[in-house]
Amino acid sequence: MKKIRNLIVACGALISMASCDLDLEPTTGPNSGKVLTAEELKGMRLRLYNDIKAISSGGYLYLTDYFTDLVTETNASGNTGAFFYLWMLYANDQDISSMWNGYYGIIRDANYAIMKMEESQREGVATGAEINMYIGEMKFFRAYTLRQLALRFCEAYDPDKATTQPGIPVPDKYETGSHLERGTLADVYKQIQSDITDAELAVTTAGSANAIYLTADAITAFKAQVALDMHDYPNASKYASSLYASYPLVDSKIALEQMWREDTSTETIFQPEVNTTTLSSVSSMSDYYNGLWNGSKYVTTPYYVLEQHIVDLFSTEDYRMGIYLEYSYVQLSSSQKGNGYLLTKFIGNKFFRSALTQLNYKNMPKVFRVAQMYLIDAEAQYQQNGGGAGPLNTLRQSRGLEPTDATGKDLFDAIKDEYVREMMGEGYRLSDLKRWKETFQRDYQSALRSVVRTRGRDMNPNVNDPKFVWPIPQDEIENNPNFGSQNPGYAQ
């Protein structure tokens, strides 16, 4: 089968990779035997920002969504993403290894940077609050990446079982020749929380909309995500709601369009910078559209199209219609064509285009958005006391929808539906389903019957299917004698 192009690009060209045992030094940058200057440390810092952009775009996002019920594969896919879409993942799959190594490459880069920064401080070559801030940023990036790994390669966090739930290796310092045990999920989140604490002490920059560097508010948004993972609902609600005043929700279609077509919005908490000269630092999201302008409209050849039940969640008054999804013409051949709804959230920043009608499918990655904070707050309130209608309705009304008066299970269903509407395509669907302990049932847009493939349509996994958790790469298990066992459901 054709392998996933964008993921391989992200893991190979954008992130220097090494296996989890950290046998290799970073493949670029100053030699470890040299004490680095402040300017050289600044370069290491920027490298980590590039790493974060890489894992916030392309295959790192869309492969998790292909795995769920968000989209249907088309005959144009060339099997791109098919292993994920069909739940045919194996421990020796190249794409699984690439993602695993890409994430651990970032952790290795962060640990190496921390080591060099602390060394320069001890030697008096580079000192001061700025270097302390750099170290705090590195610890944050390590924590952020560990969570991304856990969301894919571990079960959803269960407070009653976390000390026995299989985790992933947690490298907390740069070492060569190290072979770490996978430990437990409790160990993973303990390290995440420790790194958050250190990052908060060092990164005190006040938050501002569209921040391109890490801020105190971005750390708070991450704390809200982690607290929700850990079922710490009071803190999840507290952290999330504390950001409302500083990042007001937009309340018009024009402003919502600016968020995704110009990368500017009062809602965006943290989005690392991308411009026309640094477009290679992010991967393309073209698989959802692939549009070619024919003089009057775009003729599209998407690899994946939205499923019917996803389209049905949207109504004409929703400001997201025409921005997050659009009614488009699809033509794969003379007999494979039709009009249907495509995911268009990621057709790209219009200022990055080389020509007015030449789409580029690249944006500044929106690592944290306040809209998700409203969803976290709503879910946390519901889990505490059955509430959550307040933050849910505030978000709904900002998107042009009427408030809901739902209560009980109907309210939770409304919260979950809003997660789909607002966050679709941003790589959260799989972790949401795992956290909610829910499965899915696929369908397809009948208007695109001649365009979509028949395979994979009947996917309806059991909610307890162990394959909701992805396999550990076989190379990791074979090369790390201390690692332990493979995840359930996959051959050792």
Side-chain angles (χ1 to χ4, degrees):
M1 284 186 174
K2 180 180 178 181
K3 304 308 288 181
I4 289 75
R5 300 156 300 132
N6 289 340
L7 177 58
I8 300 303
V9 169
C11 290
L14 302 181
I15 301 175
S16 59
M17 298 191 313
S19 64
C20 183
D21 62 14
L22 306 179
D23 282 338
L24 301 177
E25 291 185 5
T27 55
T28 63
N31 182 277
S32 63
K34 176 186 175 184
V35 178
L36 305 185
T37 66
E39 191 64 24
E40 289 171 323
L41 295 178
K42 183 177 180 180
M44 298 185 81
R45 174 207 188 203
L46 294 178
R47 173 182 174 174
L48 265 294
Y49 273 93
N50 280 337
D51 285 351
I52 293 302
K53 286 186 284 185
I55 64 169
S56 301
S57 61
Y60 286 95
L61 301 187
Y62 61 64
L63 291 180
T64 59
D65 287 331
Y66 293 175
F67 199 74
T68 66
D69 60 340
L70 187 69
V71 289
T72 307
E73 185 188 15
T74 76
N75 292 315
S77 74
N79 293 322
T80 296
F83 292 130
F84 291 83
Y85 181 70
L86 298 174
W87 279 45
M88 293 175 60
L89 298 182
Y90 299 95
N92 61 356
D93 185 270
Q94 178 183 351
D95 302 316
I96 286 292
S97 296
S98 292
M99 186 173 287
W100 174 273
N101 288 333
Y103 284 130
Y104 272 110
I106 292 179
I107 294 172
R108 182 209 51 196
D109 286 352
N111 286 341
Y112 183 75
I114 292 168
M115 179 184 73
K116 300 304 294 180
M117 290 170 182
E118 291 177 342
E119 179 184 65
S120 293
Q121 285 182 320
R122 287 194 305 270
E123 297 298 324
V125 175
T127 60
E130 187 174 47
I131 305 304
N132 285 331
M133 183 186 73
Y134 291 176
I135 293 173
E137 289 176 322
M138 299 304 103
K139 291 186 176 181
F140 174 86
F141 292 147
R142 180 171 66 190
Y144 180 83
T145 307
L146 275 174
R147 179 175 180 263
Q148 297 304 310
L149 276 159
L151 292 178
R152 291 154 177 77
F153 295 96
C154 299
E155 299 172 350
Y157 188 97
D158 184 334
D160 297 328
K161 301 177 182 177
T163 56
T164 59
Q165 288 178 293
I168 48 175
V170 181
D172 62 353
K173 57 185 174 180
Y174 180 79
E175 292 181 318
T176 58
S178 170
H179 295 285
L180 300 175
E181 298 178 357
R182 71 179 302 181
T184 68
L185 198 52
D187 296 328
V188 175
Y189 275 83
K190 180 180 179 180
Q191 183 63 52
I192 290 172
Q193 290 181 304
S194 175
D195 282 342
I196 289 174
T197 298
D198 290 346
E200 278 189 300
L201 293 173
V203 181
T204 58
T205 306
S208 60
N210 310 302
I212 62 174
Y213 294 108
L214 193 65
T215 67
D217 285 347
I219 296 174
T220 299
F222 184 57
K223 288 169 62 178
Q225 291 179 340
V226 171
L228 187 67
D229 291 347
M230 300 181 72
H231 300 200
D232 180 4
Y233 302 123
N235 277 323
S237 183
K238 180 180 75 172
Y239 299 143
S241 61
S242 72
L243 297 168
Y244 294 168
S246 298
Y247 302 91
L249 291 165
V250 300
D251 58 2
S252 72
K253 192 160 191 169
I254 292 174
L256 198 62
E257 187 171 21
Q258 288 176 330
M259 184 192 307
W260 293 100
R261 304 295 182 257
E262 300 178 18
D263 289 332
T264 181
S265 174
T266 59
E267 294 190 12
T268 306
I269 300 169
F270 174 45
Q271 57 176 16
E273 186 177 28
V274 178
N275 55 46
T276 53
T277 62
T278 60
L279 281 177
S280 62
S281 63
V282 291
S283 293
S284 171
M285 300 289 286
S286 62
D287 290 7
Y288 291 126
Y289 198 72
N290 277 318
L292 181 65
W293 185 254
N294 70 358
S296 60
K297 64 181 178 181
Y298 287 103
V299 178
T300 66
T301 56
Y303 292 179
Y304 288 83
V305 298
L306 290 170
E307 298 208 337
Q308 184 63 53
H309 69 276
I310 302 296
V311 175
D312 290 343
L313 291 175
F314 291 85
S315 56
T316 55
E317 64 267 21
D318 196 319
Y319 296 152
R320 290 166 291 202
M321 286 288 287
I323 302 171
Y324 289 21
L325 71 166
E326 288 184 7
Y327 191 65
S328 303
Y329 178 61
V330 179
Q331 182 172 4
L332 310 187
S333 69
S334 60
S335 60
Q336 299 178 68
K337 58 187 177 180
N339 290 287
Y341 285 93
L342 306 186
L343 178 55
T344 51
K345 184 187 277 187
F346 307 105
I347 62 173
N349 185 321
K350 66 182 182 181
F351 298 121
F352 295 164
R353 300 177 188 176
S354 57
L356 184 63
T357 57
Q358 186 67 46
L359 303 177
N360 55 66
Y361 312 103
K362 293 189 176 185
N363 287 87
M364 295 171 68
K366 291 159 186 54
V367 180
F368 300 114
R369 300 198 290 120
V370 80
Q372 188 185 38
M373 298 299 107
Y374 280 86
L375 293 167
I376 288 173
D377 187 13
E379 182 176 347
Q381 288 190 36
Y382 179 83
Q383 296 292 2
Q384 287 183 85
N385 54 33
L392 172 65
N393 282 330
T394 299
L395 178 59
R396 284 176 58 90
Q397 289 176 288
S398 77
R399 300 306 189 236
L401 302 179
E402 293 295 321
T404 178
D405 58 1
T407 59
K409 181 181 179 300
D410 290 341
L411 174 58
F412 194 31
D413 287 342
I415 292 171
K416 290 183 288 187
D417 286 347
E418 198 61 33
Y419 264 98
V420 177
R421 280 189 286 261
E422 183 59 39
M423 304 305 297
M424 69 176 189
E426 297 182 58
Y428 291 102
R429 181 62 172 163
L430 176 57
S431 57
D432 288 344
L433 289 171
K434 288 167 66 175
R435 186 177 68 255
W436 298 330
K437 294 181 172 58
E438 289 194 357
T439 186
F440 60 82
Q441 176 68 62
R442 285 180 176 159
D443 57 18
Y444 66 98
Q445 295 183 57
S446 58
L448 296 177
R449 183 186 303 273
S450 67
V451 169
V452 298
R453 293 195 174 200
T454 58
R455 66 183 187 181
R457 289 183 189 170
D458 59 349
M459 285 293 298
N460 182 211
N462 185 284
V463 68
N464 296 314
D465 193 318
K467 291 192 175 182
F468 268 104
V469 179
W470 291 355
I472 304 298
Q474 192 62 32
D475 285 349
E476 183 64 40
I477 293 176
E478 291 178 355
N479 297 329
N480 181 355
N482 298 323
F483 183 87
S485 60
Q486 177 59 267
N487 283 334
Y490 303 97
Q492 179 71 28

